Amino acid sequence: MTGATVCLSYDFDAVSTWLWSYDSWEMPTRHSRGVFGAEVAAPRLLDLHDEHDIPATWFIPGHTIDSFEEICGEVWDRGYDIQHHGWSHTGPATFESKEDEQADIERGIESIQDVTGREPTGYRSPAWDFSQHTLDILQELGFEWDSSKMASDFRPHYVYGNWSAPEDGPYDRGEPTDLVELPVSWQRDDWPPLTFTWSRPHRMGYASEDSIFQRWYDQFDWMYDHVDDGVFILTMHPQVIGQAHRLQRLEQLIQHMQTKDDVQFEEMDTVAQNFDG
Ligand SMILES: [Zn+2]
């Protein structure tokens, strides 16, 4: 190996995920789980990162920024990057039109500008998927990178456009665009295994922390040993990872990574800017 990069990222959904992704408009206890993320967990994570002097990338829906202005301002003021995660937490493919999807993304940009004074460069889809319009919208609005796709595990690449998936013919993956992809994985995400929900049996939320963190150690160690200049991107949610019994494990994981030679912690925007294909 010739060095490794680690990007710790937080999808700061707060209440938005319960509203748009779980249709819990009239369920205040579900809302309160998001409030915990904003008021209790996010400050803990900022403290953890401050203590270890490690950068982070926070993907924040505009709804979270507009609802919890103070803590979102603190994320930025304490030196952590803020990138785009929709205004609402709506899966792109569920918008009724390109105009509706674009309006939500533009509203999210305005919320981020209110906090940071600059436009975001990166986008992470709330559903980790694109509609048929998302790529066009991102390019029209000047985004430089995305973090929603899984065609690679530890290597940035370009997002492909004009793909086709006919029922009666082979798959055509299309052509590379100039939008950089910083790949995600359900295997490096805290939400599905560690979040209890009622309605979705595959998300029972009682997976053992031992097994989940071991999965992250194993992936990082394999990447470190086998992939030149690999990029390890971990997706976490403050309301999930910021719980007491998980913070110490996250700190131990960070310390494990720090024991290796040639490991850099970076903002995702830095990785995207340095990517040259
Ligand atoms: Zn999210």
Side-chain angles (χ1 to χ4, degrees):
M1 50 73 63
T2 58
T5 300
V6 176
C7 299
L8 300 182
S9 68
Y10 297 97
D11 290 6
F12 192 8
D13 300 332
V15 179
S16 69
T17 193
W18 299 109
L19 302 180
W20 280 277
S21 297
Y22 290 87
D23 201 23
S24 301
W25 298 87
E26 306 297 333
M27 298 178 178
T29 295
R30 295 190 188 184
H31 305 171
S32 72
R33 298 173 71 173
V35 173
F36 167 84
E39 295 185 346
V40 180
R44 290 175 178 170
L45 291 162
L46 292 176
D47 288 347
L48 177 67
H49 276 258
D50 280 0
E51 195 176 318
H52 292 275
D53 195 21
I54 288 175
T57 303
W58 288 63
F59 294 92
I60 312 187
H63 180 269
T64 297
I65 292 174
D66 297 354
S67 305
F68 303 97
E69 287 179 17
E70 197 173 324
I71 185 64
C72 293
E74 209 176 310
V75 170
W76 181 253
D77 291 342
R78 287 167 73 165
Y80 301 102
D81 197 22
I82 294 178
Q83 297 291 350
H84 202 290
H85 195 45
W87 185 87
S88 62
H89 202 271
T90 302
T94 62
F95 285 107
E96 290 192 358
S97 67
K98 180 182 178 186
E99 289 69 31
D100 288 353
E101 182 181 355
Q102 183 155 341
D104 190 85
I105 293 176
E106 287 177 343
R107 190 176 177 187
I109 292 173
E110 288 170 16
S111 297
I112 288 175
Q113 281 178 314
D114 287 345
V115 178
T116 67
R118 63 99 172 95
E119 291 189 1
T121 52
Y123 173 80
R124 175 173 280 167
S125 159
W128 276 4
D129 216 335
F130 279 15
S131 75
Q132 59 179 318
H133 306 298
T134 309
L135 179 56
D136 289 342
I137 294 170
L138 296 181
Q139 291 185 305
E140 285 166 23
L141 294 178
F143 281 90
E144 297 170 19
W145 56 273
D146 169 69
S147 181
S148 313
K149 296 182 178 298
M150 308 180 187
S152 180
D153 44 11
F154 305 122
R155 287 188 183 283
H157 57 88
Y158 288 114
V159 175
Y160 277 56
N162 290 325
W163 52 268
S164 68
E167 287 188 17
D168 60 353
Y171 180 74
D172 179 351
R173 76 169 300 185
E175 300 295 329
T177 65
D178 58 4
L179 195 74
V180 176
E181 177 62 36
L182 303 178
V184 291
S185 170
W186 294 118
Q187 305 302 321
R188 292 185 296 284
D189 183 348
D190 61 352
W191 186 279
L194 298 176
T195 304
F196 171 79
T197 61
W198 297 261
S199 56
R200 307 189 186 193
H202 59 293
R203 293 179 178 174
M204 290 305 293
Y206 286 111
S208 160
E209 278 75 15
D210 286 342
S211 71
I212 301 308
F213 275 87
Q214 189 61 53
R215 191 177 301 180
W216 296 348
Y217 280 87
D218 290 347
Q219 291 177 79
F220 173 77
D221 288 346
W222 191 91
M223 182 194 87
Y224 185 85
D225 290 339
H226 294 91
V227 181
D228 288 346
D229 301 318
V231 181
F232 183 89
I233 297 169
L234 190 58
T235 298
M236 298 171 285
H237 299 73
Q239 59 191 289
V240 180
I241 203 73
Q243 296 185 30
H245 56 308
R246 294 168 185 158
L247 283 163
Q248 188 183 21
R249 289 170 185 270
L250 176 59
E251 186 169 23
Q252 289 165 347
L253 177 63
I254 290 169
Q255 290 168 330
H256 170 74
M257 292 165 164
Q258 287 175 321
T259 63
K260 306 249 186 188
D261 292 335
D262 258 340
V263 173
Q264 285 89 39
F265 290 81
E266 298 280 10
E267 290 178 356
M268 292 173 67
D269 187 59
T270 304
V271 176
Q273 302 302 337
N274 290 337
F275 179 67
D276 57 8

